Amino acid sequence: MAILVIAEHDNASLKGATLNTVTAATQIGGDVEVLVAGSNCGAAAEAAAKIAGVSKVLVADNAAYEYQLAENMGELVAELGKNYTHILAASTTTGKDFLPRAAALLDVNMLSDIIKVEDAETFARPIYAGNAIATVKSADAIKVMTVRGTAFDAAADTGSAAVEAIDVVKNAGISAFAREELAKSDRPELTAAKIVISGGRGMQNGDNFEMLYKVADKLGAAVGASRAAVDAGFVPNDMQVGQTGKIVAPELYVAVGISGAIQHLAGMKDSKVIVAINKDEEAPIFQVADYGLVADLFEAVPALENAL
Amino acid sequence: MKVLVAVKRVIDYNVKVRVKSDNSDVDLTNVKMAMNPFCEIAVEEAVRLKEKGVATEVVVVSIGPKVAQEQIRTALALGADRGILIETEEKLESLTVAKLLKSVVEKEQPQLVLMGKQTIDSDNNQTGQMLGALTGMPQGTFASEVAVEGDKVNVTREIDGGLRTVALNLPAIVTTDLRLNEPRYASLPNIMKAKRKPLDVTTPADLGVEVKSTLSLVKVTPPAERSAGIKVASVDELVEKLKNEAKVL
């Protein structure tokens, strides 16, 4: 069995989610090869070669893959993927974008967001916003899946795989990158942070998030938000934690002024320790919180900052 | 231009699902059903394109049991022009859904296909992308802004680090994110009018699509329960517990 993992990267460096995906691949059992498709992506390929458990790194370096447009990536992955029993990518917005396209080109179904490898054909994944776990067996010749990063440990960087350039250029020519606006932050990446502090509608406005940033900086934490806080324009949407935002599972999750709707819980309820600070003692968040503090966040959060 | 919108009947998003005691699946008997929230956003966007004069006709398609007509009628009440129901009692996988939609696309020749980014039951987030592969159309997934300009559509996508805009050749597929728009409510007169709008019923067999399944559900289990926590009285007690009891600080 040979397994293909498609690396997530920004050409210059590898994204952490790739390491968790490789761990899932090694649990399936077989040779794990990593595809790095990008433009001037040598540095990312070198990083991929250092991942423990990887036997070979394939590099498709072409301008057509610079922004990993789904139309081009889908064709590339479908073409290379014919030679593998499993194709895996991280369950990020990039992986979710191109992998179903590749699966359909291979005429196979796909499993999204797996959280457990039972055996080479059987995998577990959450459904209904994480309120049920489905164990699914695939009879497809090629098993295609995205991997929930927080459900697998990151692979170590002690490997030394061979790097091989491949000359497969797929340019569908039907889509083009126009522009992007990336949020700038010095704090750790939300999905990889050990501590996450999130604010909800109770924060009342964007300026008040400053209080959470101060606590976060003391803890080395990332800052997240509920959909209500994002929709109200307090913070940008890439901070949203939940069924439709990011899935996090940190050591400590602090929910501030968040009621705890089903859709929010879907994104954070696998956190090791959950703390809720809310003035409404009936808020559903208290049903999942290990430690609950019924208090006005405008007093509790500055007090928390001082206590740290 | 003609816009095709795909909608799905799913459990209402406020309902907390229960897993059946024999672990065969979740229990959907007597549970409130509704249009998938992301599909509502797709319908709203299509109707707005029509109001702007960009779209000339909005066709809504759903695949599911006979009662899925309710969700098509809802879309018609929101402003879609006509509906197509592909009737089947079977639970279909994304690839089969994409193949069925492909046959509708071939027949209807829409310039734009709008659909939700995922359904809140299976949480797959696959069908739009698969339809893109099968039809050869480009895809703008997780859209928070859609702007048709000539023979292209510019789609602003929500990505992990922020926002990215792509320019797609038409015809194209766009899957909606929650922030694309705020769906309207159907008024009573529009609900009444929707009852007279055309709704064609067809079947997978009529469309020549074989319904086959390669994924089998071994079991469905409830997620691990979290044990009940405690309430602390003060910030100091909270910090003390996090340091000494939970050891996470």
Side-chain angles (χ1 to χ4, degrees):
Chain A
M1 271 198 304
I3 300 166
L4 183 65
V5 171
I6 295 101
E8 171 117 6
H9 64 89
D10 61 3
N11 294 315
S13 65
L14 208 58
K15 292 278 167 72
T18 310
L19 303 173
N20 309 82
T21 310
V22 167
T23 299
T26 53
Q27 288 180 8
I28 294 168
D31 271 351
V32 178
E33 300 184 8
V34 174
L35 168 67
V36 179
S39 179
N40 295 318
C41 56
E46 276 173 37
K50 294 197 180 85
I51 306 174
V54 173
S55 63
K56 189 158 78 173
V57 175
L58 305 173
V59 187
D61 198 328
N62 190 282
Y65 307 130
E66 184 172 4
Y67 297 102
Q68 294 173 347
L69 293 171
E71 295 76 12
N72 303 348
M73 287 293 288
E75 287 190 26
L76 172 70
V77 173
E79 164 104 13
L80 297 175
K82 286 178 195 146
N83 307 317
Y84 296 85
T85 56
H86 297 75
I87 305 173
L88 281 68
S91 189
T92 56
T93 49
T94 310
K96 287 183 210 169
D97 190 33
F98 72 76
L99 203 58
R101 205 165 167 113
L105 291 173
L106 289 165
D107 198 27
V108 296
N109 265 298
M110 182 182 142
L111 293 165
S112 292
D113 221 14
I114 65 154
I115 55 169
K116 196 173 171 206
V117 176
E118 299 275 355
D119 59 44
E121 295 176 337
T122 318
F123 306 88
R125 56 176 302 267
I127 53 176
Y128 293 90
N131 287 302
I133 307 298
T135 302
V136 184
K137 192 177 167 90
S138 166
D140 280 313
I142 303 169
K143 289 156 186 68
V144 179
M145 64 200 84
T146 52
V147 175
R148 179 176 288 194
T150 57
F152 296 89
D153 292 332
D157 59 351
T158 53
S160 56
V163 178
E164 187 182 300
I166 52 165
D167 188 24
V168 183
V169 180
K170 298 283 183 186
N171 192 345
I174 49 177
S175 60
F177 170 87
R179 61 184 176 273
E180 67 186 0
E181 292 165 51
L182 300 181
K184 299 252 184 300
S185 170
D186 297 331
R187 293 186 193 87
E189 204 185 332
L190 193 53
T191 51
K194 288 211 162 22
I195 302 176
V196 173
I197 178 161
S198 285
R201 198 194 306 269
M203 297 303 297
Q204 293 183 2
N205 60 50
D207 294 339
N208 289 335
F209 263 74
E210 201 56 45
M211 294 193 305
L212 300 188
Y213 297 144
K214 283 183 186 162
V215 176
D217 289 342
K218 281 209 165 169
L219 294 170
V223 179
S226 70
R227 186 183 167 206
V230 173
D231 279 353
F234 301 172
V235 291
N237 60 51
D238 53 286
M239 284 170 64
Q240 186 186 327
V241 171
Q243 184 182 19
T244 60
K246 293 197 171 82
I247 312 286
V248 301
E251 299 273 302
L252 173 61
Y253 188 88
V254 185
V256 181
I258 292 176
S259 65
I262 294 175
Q263 292 76 17
H264 185 73
L265 299 183
M268 46 62 81
K269 69 180 177 185
D270 292 325
S271 305
K272 191 164 158 253
V273 174
I274 297 173
V275 169
I277 300 174
N278 204 304
K279 66 181 175 188
D280 174 12
E281 62 180 317
E282 301 296 320
I285 191 77
F286 286 118
Q287 289 162 23
V288 299
D290 299 280
Y291 301 103
L293 176 62
V294 180
D296 186 342
L297 69 93
F298 294 101
E299 287 162 21
V301 175
L304 179 61
E305 192 207 336
N306 288 332
L308 293 168
Chain B
M1 66 181 191
K2 190 194 275 189
V3 179
L4 183 72
V5 189
V7 302
K8 188 180 180 188
R9 174 185 174 89
V10 297
I11 190 169
D12 184 272
Y13 72 96
N14 281 310
V15 176
K16 187 156 197 278
V17 295
R18 276 173 218 288
V19 173
K20 286 183 185 168
S21 54
D22 64 357
N23 292 126
S24 59
D25 207 340
V26 296
D27 193 355
L28 293 181
T29 45
N30 300 321
V31 167
K32 189 182 173 202
M33 303 293 277
M35 192 193 297
N36 180 50
F38 291 98
C39 303
E40 275 185 56
I41 293 168
V43 172
E44 175 67 29
E45 195 65 18
V47 172
R48 288 187 190 189
L49 286 172
K50 197 178 162 197
E51 287 166 348
K52 276 190 234 163
V54 177
T56 47
E57 188 185 26
V58 176
V59 182
V60 56
V61 56
S62 190
I63 304 167
K66 198 179 181 79
V67 283
Q69 287 200 9
E70 289 170 19
Q71 277 63 48
I72 296 178
R73 291 288 173 205
T74 303
L76 296 175
L78 292 170
D81 296 295
R82 63 187 168 88
I84 301 167
L85 174 66
I86 304 172
E87 197 177 314
T88 171
E89 291 297 326
E90 286 187 70
K91 230 172 121 177
L92 306 181
E93 287 151 13
S94 304
L95 186 61
T96 309
V97 172
K99 286 178 179 175
L100 289 166
L101 292 177
K102 181 196 177 206
S103 66
V104 176
V105 165
E106 280 171 353
K107 187 159 163 268
E108 296 285 341
Q109 297 285 321
Q111 282 296 95
L112 192 63
V113 180
L114 281 165
M115 47 205 295
K117 77 165 177 178
Q118 73 190 62
T119 56
I120 58 164
D121 50 0
S122 67
D123 280 333
N124 272 329
N125 196 329
Q126 299 172 359
T127 308
Q129 296 90 314
M130 288 183 162
L131 181 61
L134 300 178
T135 57
M137 288 186 202
Q139 65 189 50
T141 51
F142 328 142
S144 59
E145 204 182 322
V146 175
V148 177
E149 284 171 25
D151 59 352
K152 288 200 191 309
V153 57
N154 288 319
V155 180
T156 301
R157 306 178 50 233
E158 303 213 358
I159 62 168
D160 285 333
L163 297 171
R164 171 179 289 185
T165 305
V166 288
L168 310 176
N169 293 2
L170 290 171
I173 293 166
V174 172
T175 74
T176 62
D177 217 315
L178 285 171
R179 256 166 300 281
L180 182 58
N181 59 47
E182 187 89 29
R184 70 193 68 187
Y185 292 98
S187 65
L188 190 59
N190 285 343
I191 293 170
M192 300 309 288
K193 269 187 232 158
K195 291 186 177 166
R196 291 191 300 275
K197 289 185 179 176
L199 198 168
D200 292 329
V201 180
T202 178
T203 64
D206 290 344
L207 298 169
V209 175
E210 188 195 350
V211 174
K212 59 172 183 182
S213 182
T214 54
L215 302 177
S216 50
L217 203 51
V218 178
K219 62 177 177 185
V220 175
T221 51
E225 289 271 332
R226 290 192 74 95
S227 51
I230 57 160
K231 292 253 169 79
V232 294
S234 68
V235 168
D236 289 336
E237 190 189 346
L238 175 64
V239 172
E240 189 272 323
K241 295 266 189 206
L242 290 177
K243 276 187 177 148
N244 302 321
E245 199 175 278
K247 299 194 189 333
V248 285
L249 288 186

